[in-house]
Amino acid sequence: AFHYSKGQDLLGCVIEEVTCKPLGRFLQERIFEPLGMSSTGFTIEASALPHLALCYRCRPGSGKVELAERHGISAIDHGTPYLE
């Protein structure tokens, strides 16, 4: 099972402080672009929302797999700092 922690958040803050760049820009410049990952990013462009993978879930009770709706997924403003 996956366990959340605040370590990733703290690392994001450290990267922003050390590089003086928003985390999304740092990831784009140092990881995604050099690897040729043109459709990958820290944020989602509004134009890319239709390209997200479909989500499925098990129906409670029957266990049948069904398509799950995407609730609350929206584009994220690139100008917003990782943490303020």
Side-chain angles (χ1 to χ4, degrees):
F2 183 81
H3 298 283
Y4 291 94
S5 79
K6 294 185 177 143
Q8 295 91 337
D9 295 337
L10 180 58
L11 179 59
C13 290
V14 170
I15 289 172
E16 285 190 343
E17 286 297 316
V18 170
T19 65
C20 298
K21 295 180 182 182
L23 183 59
R25 185 182 315 146
F26 171 82
L27 294 173
Q28 193 68 39
E29 292 174 358
R30 298 292 300 270
I31 297 173
F32 305 136
E33 286 177 3
L35 292 173
M37 300 169 72
S38 60
S39 297
T40 304
F42 186 72
T43 57
I44 301 169
E45 298 286 341
S47 61
L49 289 175
H51 302 286
L52 290 177
L54 297 175
C55 300
Y56 294 88
R57 67 182 185 135
C58 288
R59 182 179 298 173
S62 71
K64 290 185 178 181
V65 176
E66 64 184 7
L67 186 63
E69 293 185 38
R70 296 179 186 153
H71 296 288
I73 297 176
S74 63
I76 301 172
D77 178 11
H78 285 283
T80 304
Y82 182 61
L83 293 174
E84 294 185 51

